[in-house]
């Protein structure tokens, strides 16, 4: 793509504002909204502002300001929406978890979540400060994929939790290594496809006479099939439908973007259909999920009471258009995964369709800003990485939100930033950090050399040049 | 590549649209279906999320609420639960509601739209109204007298104000504490199982839900029919009745417990409860006239609510003369609830007019503003006013010098009628002792209380069992409490 005439060279003459002030203002709004939600829970439940409100607000505020400071320092041209959205989603997630903690006095998850959020923001700051240029990551592509594979395989040796082998537990400490594997795989896919996209797009024999369906040579095709098998393998061994779906979707999207061959979509969908059908009908755990999806009220009719999905649908329905109000719903009826997989049901019940749409739009904005960074970048690796990271968020939101609202079969997955789960929060903060870095590169490169100011951009003709001075 | 990035973005947008459409389906389009699913606990949670309104006796609550902090948060408590159980019924998290708790559930639970000052605004804000109050017509002293009078015996008492139809007492024994059924958990399910398995049926509301053969107390109805039909014109005339009396068309012979019934006058027969005279009188008056009068008193009309539902009292309409003769003395298929017999007594006391009995004086909001109030309503005229005057005379005689002397109250005009209803196969069961009565204070224009008492296991010598022995003293105590 280097040197392609259609690339956004036209914007080169425009001096992009940095918009750090906008970011700060939005962060303040995000923190205030979260504190308001925290107070609303207390007011609804006890008629008084919870005693921890000031501490909660201060904690979230300090974290957000530190992150903002790092962005101001090292990524001054970054998209001003990314960080406030992350802060708001994380803050809202803490409110929802705190709210659900009130129903389970013996099991408080919000303090732990706050600790993980702190670690996440810490890593965000570290990535923004340390990673000066995203293209450095290209060099670690193969290390990434090996690490990702190890991380994915390790949980097989640990006992299953709630039917899925995706955790490793050491002492009282549990992490979900598959979460981190997402980023590593995105890095690998972006690097591999950036390097091989020509071969993938044009090489190989024509099959079926269709002009667009040309298979590349086995050498190039090999890793793709390997990835497909891996995703199904992970699914079967760890019973992790969500992650395998995510990896596969991510791969197909990046393959399509990199090669521009619609045929790959067809091949991808075909392989996915075969894999999903085989696993869905043969693997009992996954088969059960599919059955639950098709007949969410079967357990009620059998006299066994509502299952989690039915309870989740009840919660969403109870919320209606405007919701019951924070703290006033009964989504705790969903049971053990109410704070993690099903946290969206609490949002749906207590904030209503209005609140749910707002949350979806926040995610959509996050994804859209990721895509925008991808569009603006010049180097194929950076573009694919931005698209990959944004797609991870999009697919994850779709898979879990579609699951808990009965649109698709349920898969154990965490709503980014919202759900309880340390690995997930940390991973998503790293994703946002990378998107900040990518958007900074994208926006900074549009600044003309002659522009006055401390952060001079590179020339606009070649995106492969050093982006930052 | 740019074009394909845009395609990928469009794909992600498509996923978002799918999510939004589906969320709208679940939360708006199909939400009612999910809300109404019986497995959805939210309705129950909302129902018990606030304390239930109180049921009041003499202006004081006989109920309460306990905050358990559990999912179904507020549990019902009862003060003097066994005493008021036939009035209140129970309100259980598990087993639902009965009697007033059931009939006035909308008010007590706060769901009655009349409780909201601004119903539309309430719909919008989803605010829940605090539970309203139900003010009963029960008078605590009368209720206590009836409960104490029955004591350990199985039976029931219903007392009415004949002028208005207000229920002054409603007692059933043995009773139970409805509080044991409030709430959830093994204690409640255990209590439910025990109460249902108890052969004494403590949860049976004998005053409203149980019908008994009324025995000789039904002679009031037979006498009213005969007097209204003109079959008897002189209370003291010879009725030309043989004793024993052979039931028409059979060889079965009907006898009396007392002497002197042969050709007795109606006054004597009523005073001493001559079966032979009334059996013949029933046949002479005829089935249509008798059934018609019974119907006007309230027999055979289903669906009576006070607002607790009342079982239907019955008088057959297609019988041969032998069956009619037995029905006329309150046997064969004739059955009545204690409340129905209190209505019979009240109709005599009230000049022949049958007032609709009512247990709820008014319902109010939590603040005490009246939501709805009951008033006196005449159901029917059961007999001519002149007949009522004659029957009052007959009933007064029973108490002054007949079988009901145990109910006499010093300085008060009391009318009554005893009854001893045989039942069981071949009449082998212990007879039910009945007494219906009314009492009038000297200066009053009309009696101020009417009562029916039934005692199931009157544990006296078989020969002594009579309404006068077991039931009349209870009626006396109830009337004394009502007059005080």
């Amino acid at each position: 793509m280097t040197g392609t005439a259609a690339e956004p060279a036209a914007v080169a003459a425009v001096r992009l504002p940095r918009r750090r002030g906008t970011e700060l203002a939005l962060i303040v709004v995000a923190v205030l909204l979260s504190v308001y939600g925290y107070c609303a829970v207390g007011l609804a439940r006890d008629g008084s502002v919870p005693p921890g409100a000031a501490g909660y607000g201060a904690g979230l505020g300090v974290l957000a300001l530190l992150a903002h400071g790092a962005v101001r320092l090292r990524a001054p041209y970054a998209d001003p929406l990314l960080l406030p959205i992350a802060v708001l989603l994380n803050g809202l997630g803490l409110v929802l978890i705190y709210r659900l903690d009130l129903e389970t006095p013996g099991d408080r998850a919000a303090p732990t979540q706050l600790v993980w959020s702190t670690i996440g923001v810490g890593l965000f700051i570290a990535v923004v400060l340390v990673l000066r240029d995203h293209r450095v990551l290209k060099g670690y592509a193969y290390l990434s994929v090996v690490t990702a594979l190890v991380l994915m395989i390790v949980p097989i040796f640990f006992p299953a939790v709630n039917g899925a082998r995706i955790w490793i537990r050491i002492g009282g400490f549990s992490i979900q290594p598959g979460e981190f594997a997402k980023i590593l795989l995105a890095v690998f896919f972006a690097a591999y496809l950036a390097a091989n996209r020509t071969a993938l797009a044009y090489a190989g024999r024509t099959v079926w006479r269709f002009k667009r369906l040309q298979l590349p040579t086995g050498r190039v095709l090999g890793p793709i099939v390997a990835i497909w098998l891996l995703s199904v393998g992970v699914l079967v061994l760890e019973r992790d439908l969500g992650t395998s779906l995510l990896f596969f979707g991510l791969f197909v999207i990046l393959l399509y973007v990199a090669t521009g061959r619609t045929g790959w979509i067809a091949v991808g969908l075909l392989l996915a259909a075969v894999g999903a059908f085989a696993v869905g009908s043969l693997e009992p755990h996954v088969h059960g999920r599919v059955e639950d999806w098709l007949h969410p009220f079967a357990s009620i009719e059998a006299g066994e009471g509502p299952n989690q999905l039915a309870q989740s649908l009840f919660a969403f329905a109870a919320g209606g258009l405007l919701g019951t109000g924070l703290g006033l719903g009964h989504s705790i009826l969903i049971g053990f995964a109410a704070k993690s997989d099903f946290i969206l049901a609490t949002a749906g019940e207590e904030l209503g369709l209005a609140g749910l749409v707002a949350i979806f739009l926040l995610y959509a904005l996050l994804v859209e800003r990721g895509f925008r960074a991808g569009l603006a970048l010049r180097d194929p690796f950076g573009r694919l990485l931005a698209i990959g990271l944004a797609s991870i968020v999009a697919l994850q939101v779709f898979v879990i939100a579609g699951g808990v609202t009965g649109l698709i079969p349920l898969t154990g997955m965490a709503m980014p930033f919202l759900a309880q789960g340390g690995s997930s929060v940390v991973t998503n903060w790293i994703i946002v950090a990378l998107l900040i870095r990518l958007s900074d590169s994208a926006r900074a490169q549009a600044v003309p050399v002659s522009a006055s100011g401390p952060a001079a951009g590179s020339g606009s003709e070649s995106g492969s040049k050093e982006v930052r001075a | 590549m740019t074009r394909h990035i845009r395609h990928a973005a469009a794909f992600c947008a498509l996923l978002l649209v799918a999510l939004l459409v589906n969320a709208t389906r679940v939360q708006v389009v199909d939400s009612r279906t999910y809300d109404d699913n019986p497995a959805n606990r939210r309705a129950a949670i909302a129902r018990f999320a606030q304390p239930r309104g109180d049921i009041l006796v003499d202006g004081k609550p006989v109920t309460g609420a306990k905050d358990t902090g559990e999912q179904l948060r507020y549990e019902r408590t009862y003060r003097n639960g066994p005493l008021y159980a036939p009035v209140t019924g129970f309100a259980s998290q598990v087993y639902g509601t009965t009697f007033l708790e059931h009939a006035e559930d909308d008010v007590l639970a706060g769901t009655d739209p009349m409780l909201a000052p601004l119903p539309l605004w309430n719909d919008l804000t989803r605010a829940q109204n605090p539970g309203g109050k139900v003010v009963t017509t029960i008078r605590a002293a009368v209720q206590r007298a009836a409960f104490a009078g029955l004591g350990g015996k199985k039976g029931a008492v219903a007392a009415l104000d004949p002028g208005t139809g207000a229920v002054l007492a409603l007692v059933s024994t043995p009773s139970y504490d409805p509080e044991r059924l409030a709430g959830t958990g093994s204690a409640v399910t255990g209590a439910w199982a025990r109460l249902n398995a108890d052969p004494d049926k403590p949860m049976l509301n004998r005053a409203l839900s149980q019908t008994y053969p009324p025995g000789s107390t039904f002679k009031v109805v037979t006498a009213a029919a005969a007097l209204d039909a003109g079959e008897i014109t002189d209370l003291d005339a010879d009725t030309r009745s043989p004793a024993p009396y052979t039931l028409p068309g059979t060889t079965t012979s009907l006898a009396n417990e007392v002497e002197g019934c042969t050709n007795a006058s109606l006054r004597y027969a009523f005073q001493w409860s001559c079966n032979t005279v009334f059996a013949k009188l029933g046949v002479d008056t005829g089935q249509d006239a008798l059934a018609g009068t019974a119907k006007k008193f309230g027999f055979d009309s289903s669906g009576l609510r006070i607002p607790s539902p009342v079982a239907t009292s019955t008088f057959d309409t297609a019988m041969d003369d032998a069956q009619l003769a037995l029905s006329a003395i309150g046997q064969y298929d004739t059955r009545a609830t204690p409340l129905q017999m209190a209505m019979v007594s009240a109709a005599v006391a009230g000049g022949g007019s049958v007032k609709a009995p009512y247990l709820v004086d008014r319902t109010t909001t939590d603040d005490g503003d009246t939501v709805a109030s009951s008033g006196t309503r005449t159901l029917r005229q059961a007999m001519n006013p002149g007949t009522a005057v004659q029957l009052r005379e007959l009933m007064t005689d029973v108490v002054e010098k007949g079988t009901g002397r145990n109910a006499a109250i010093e300085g008060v005009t009391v009318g009554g009628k005893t009854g001893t209803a045989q039942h069981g196969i071949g009449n082998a069961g212990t007879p039910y002792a009945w007494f219906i009565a009314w009492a009038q204070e000297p200066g009053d224009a009309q009696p101020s209380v009417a009562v029916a008492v039934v005692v199931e296991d009157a544990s006296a010598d078989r020969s002594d069992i009579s309404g006068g022995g077991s039931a009349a003293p209870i009626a006396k105590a109830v009337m004394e409490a009502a007059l005080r």
Side-chain angles (χ1 to χ4, degrees):
Chain A
M1 104 175 175
T2 39
T4 310
E7 294 308 310
V11 298
V14 182
R15 184 188 186 282
L16 282 179
R18 294 191 196 164
R19 301 238 185 252
R20 293 278 65 81
T22 310
E23 182 179 81
L24 181 61
L26 290 173
I27 284 174
V28 170
V29 171
V31 171
L32 288 179
L33 271 176
S34 304
V35 174
Y36 172 75
Y38 192 84
C39 294
V41 171
L43 286 169
R45 303 280 299 200
D46 313 319
S48 62
V49 173
Y56 167 78
L60 194 66
V62 166
L63 285 180
L65 288 178
L66 285 175
H68 171 71
V71 173
R72 209 174 253 276
L73 193 67
R74 286 288 164 79
Y77 289 94
D79 194 313
L81 282 183
L82 294 169
L83 184 57
I85 291 174
V87 170
L88 181 53
L89 287 170
N90 200 158
L92 185 59
L94 283 164
V95 168
L96 293 175
I97 294 167
Y98 163 76
R99 178 258 168 282
L100 287 168
D101 277 351
L102 296 178
E103 312 272 349
T104 55
D107 174 27
R108 297 208 174 276
T112 321
Q113 183 78 353
L114 191 59
V115 170
W116 279 111
S117 302
T118 310
I119 296 171
V121 174
L123 285 172
F124 170 93
I125 293 168
V127 169
V128 171
L129 293 183
V130 172
L131 186 70
R132 309 293 282 272
D133 182 350
H134 64 269
R135 284 168 298 179
V136 172
L137 294 174
K138 201 158 53 170
Y140 297 104
Y142 287 93
L143 182 64
S144 291
V145 75
V146 170
T147 314
L149 287 177
V150 170
L151 285 175
M152 285 165 70
I153 287 163
V154 165
I156 292 173
F157 305 106
F158 286 82
V161 180
N162 301 325
R165 287 179 192 275
I166 51 177
W167 275 273
I168 59 173
R169 277 174 189 276
I170 300 154
F173 199 70
S174 69
I175 58 170
Q176 218 172 316
E179 287 281 344
F180 304 109
K182 281 174 205 162
I183 302 177
L184 297 170
L185 272 181
V187 169
F188 166 71
F189 284 157
Y192 182 84
L193 292 171
N196 295 302
R197 63 198 207 91
T198 322
L200 283 161
Y202 300 109
R205 296 157 293 166
T206 306
V207 283
W208 295 342
R209 298 248 165 181
F210 282 108
K211 199 174 130 198
R212 285 184 171 259
L213 210 82
Q214 277 181 316
L215 280 188
T217 56
R219 193 178 60 81
V220 193
L221 190 66
I224 300 157
V225 176
I227 293 300
W228 175 64
L229 286 175
L230 186 78
S231 66
V232 178
V234 166
L235 165 57
V236 175
L237 286 171
E238 303 185 351
R239 299 174 166 185
D240 190 356
L241 192 62
T243 307
S244 82
L245 207 63
L246 175 67
F247 290 170
F248 199 76
L250 170 68
F251 185 62
V252 171
I253 288 176
L254 288 183
L255 197 56
Y256 172 74
V257 170
T259 63
R261 307 306 300 257
T262 319
W264 283 116
I265 302 276
V267 172
L269 287 177
L270 192 73
L271 292 179
V274 170
F277 180 77
V279 174
S281 48
L282 298 176
E283 213 286 323
H285 177 76
V286 178
H287 180 69
R289 290 283 176 90
V290 174
E291 283 297 310
D292 284 347
W293 170 60
L294 291 173
H295 313 288
F297 295 147
S299 66
I300 296 172
E301 282 147 26
E304 294 158 9
N307 61 19
Q308 279 191 310
L309 179 58
Q311 288 284 21
S312 174
L313 290 171
F314 290 163
F316 280 106
L321 205 58
L322 296 175
T324 58
L326 274 173
L328 299 174
H330 302 287
S331 52
I332 198 72
L333 290 170
I334 292 166
F336 70 85
K339 295 176 194 174
S340 48
D341 294 16
F342 287 92
I343 193 131
L344 199 64
T346 303
E349 178 167 9
E350 306 196 346
L351 302 175
L353 182 63
L356 202 59
V357 169
I359 290 171
F360 284 154
L361 290 181
L362 284 178
Y363 285 116
L365 214 52
L366 192 63
V367 173
E368 189 259 347
R369 290 288 158 153
F371 272 94
R372 179 168 285 197
L375 279 170
L377 279 165
R378 304 292 165 76
D379 67 306
F381 170 73
R383 304 191 98 183
L384 288 171
L385 184 59
I387 305 309
L389 294 173
S391 301
I392 287 177
V393 175
L395 288 171
Q396 208 162 312
V397 168
F398 176 75
V399 166
I400 182 63
V404 296
T405 55
L407 182 62
I408 57 169
L410 193 63
T411 57
M413 242 200 193
M415 204 70 193
F417 292 111
L418 227 48
Q420 175 196 4
S423 319
S424 170
V425 169
V426 168
T427 307
N428 286 303
W429 273 113
I430 297 174
I431 287 177
V432 172
L434 291 173
L435 286 176
I436 290 265
R437 165 59 57 232
L438 289 161
S439 74
D440 178 56
S441 301
R443 288 161 60 91
Q445 74 193 355
V447 179
V449 192
S450 58
S452 58
S458 73
S460 59
E461 287 81 7
S462 171
S464 59
K465 269 191 193 165
E466 190 62 38
V467 181
R468 295 181 50 78
Chain B
M1 198 170 190
T2 300
R3 197 163 66 90
H4 303 114
I5 292 179
R6 293 191 193 283
H7 288 168
F11 170 70
C12 289
L14 206 65
L15 295 183
L16 175 72
V17 169
L19 283 181
L20 292 179
V21 168
N22 187 56
T24 309
R25 173 188 72 81
V26 174
Q27 298 205 265
V28 179
V29 182
D30 290 347
S31 68
R32 184 58 63 86
T33 325
Y34 293 123
D35 288 345
D36 293 346
N37 191 303
N40 193 341
R41 297 258 289 161
R42 281 173 179 74
I45 292 172
R47 179 184 168 79
F48 297 109
Q50 63 176 8
R52 209 169 154 75
D54 280 322
I55 296 174
L56 272 56
V57 170
D58 279 352
K60 288 192 276 296
V62 296
T63 56
K66 184 173 67 179
D67 184 354
T68 61
E70 289 166 13
Q71 200 179 60
L72 304 181
R73 193 163 161 191
Y74 285 96
E75 284 178 10
R76 196 55 142 169
T77 59
Y78 294 89
R79 289 165 208 155
N80 281 320
L83 175 61
Y84 292 110
V87 177
T88 59
F90 61 76
S92 167
Q93 326 274 47
V94 186
Y95 300 106
T97 51
T98 54
F99 300 106
L100 275 193
E101 295 275 28
H102 183 74
E104 298 290 354
D105 186 58
D106 285 356
V107 169
L108 295 168
T111 54
D112 191 325
M114 293 291 285
L115 291 171
L118 300 164
L120 276 176
W121 177 248
N122 254 57
D123 275 358
L124 197 67
T125 58
R126 299 197 188 194
Q128 214 173 354
N129 299 307
K133 292 174 182 164
V134 172
V135 182
T136 67
T137 56
I138 296 290
R139 284 174 54 193
V142 185
Q143 182 84 2
R144 276 197 299 270
F147 194 70
L150 283 169
K153 288 174 240 149
K154 235 187 273 183
V157 172
L160 295 171
D161 180 335
T164 62
V167 180
L168 304 178
L170 209 57
V171 169
S172 172
T173 55
S175 193
Y176 70 104
D177 189 350
E179 191 165 317
R180 286 158 70 192
L181 298 178
T184 53
S186 56
V188 169
T189 46
W192 176 257
R194 270 196 308 281
L195 286 169
N196 275 301
D198 192 327
D200 285 343
K201 298 189 182 168
M203 284 201 293
L204 174 65
N205 189 338
R206 292 172 161 84
L208 296 183
S209 309
Q210 175 74 331
T211 59
Y212 299 89
S216 299
T217 56
F218 192 77
K219 286 169 185 166
V220 175
V221 179
T222 307
L227 287 165
D228 265 5
E231 191 63 35
I232 303 278
T233 46
D234 181 354
L235 298 180
D236 297 302
D238 181 351
T239 54
R240 276 171 291 174
S241 311
Y245 171 68
T246 306
L247 297 179
T250 70
T251 51
T252 311
S253 179
L254 187 68
N256 293 308
E257 301 274 330
V258 288
E259 302 290 310
C261 290
T262 310
N263 299 329
S265 67
L266 184 65
R267 189 187 300 278
Y268 183 90
F270 196 90
Q271 193 174 317
W272 295 106
S273 207
C274 294
N275 286 338
T276 50
V277 174
F278 278 90
K280 180 171 177 292
L281 191 58
V283 176
D284 291 348
T285 307
Q287 173 155 305
D288 291 348
L290 205 49
T293 300
K295 201 173 171 66
K296 283 191 269 181
F297 274 102
F299 283 81
D300 289 323
S301 70
S302 58
L304 178 65
R305 293 181 172 276
I306 64 166
S308 301
V310 182
T312 308
S313 302
T314 55
F315 183 84
D316 263 8
T317 48
M319 298 179 281
D320 61 30
D321 280 353
Q323 291 164 340
L324 180 61
L326 286 173
S327 295
I329 58 168
Q331 298 195 19
Y332 185 58
D333 275 350
T334 310
R335 296 188 72 88
T337 60
L339 181 74
Q340 173 61 63
M341 292 319 291
M343 286 163 72
V344 168
S345 178
V348 173
S353 158
V354 180
K355 300 285 191 283
Y358 65 96
L359 185 52
V360 175
D361 181 60
R362 62 184 192 280
T363 51
T364 75
T365 63
D366 185 43
D367 298 334
D369 300 332
T370 299
V371 172
S373 54
S374 317
T376 301
R377 196 162 54 87
T378 303
L379 283 178
R380 280 168 299 263
Q381 185 71 22
M383 63 194 118
N384 297 328
T387 303
V389 172
Q390 288 177 302
L391 271 174
R392 247 191 269 182
E393 201 180 316
L394 293 178
M395 287 179 80
T396 315
D397 283 353
V398 169
V399 175
E400 281 176 4
K401 46 201 172 190
T403 52
R405 275 171 301 201
N406 283 340
I409 304 170
E410 186 86 31
V412 176
T413 310
V414 178
K417 181 70 195 85
T418 54
T420 309
Q422 291 169 339
H423 71 109
I425 297 159
N427 296 335
T430 315
Y432 298 136
W434 274 95
F435 195 75
I436 66 172
W438 46 261
Q440 179 177 4
E441 297 230 61
D444 289 357
Q446 184 170 287
S448 54
V449 56
V451 63
V453 177
V454 63
V455 180
E456 276 187 39
D457 51 352
S459 53
D461 260 355
R462 176 78 190 249
S463 57
D464 286 348
I465 291 167
S466 69
S470 301
I474 301 171
K476 178 189 174 183
V478 170
M479 290 187 293
E480 277 179 330
L483 295 175
R484 216 171 282 139

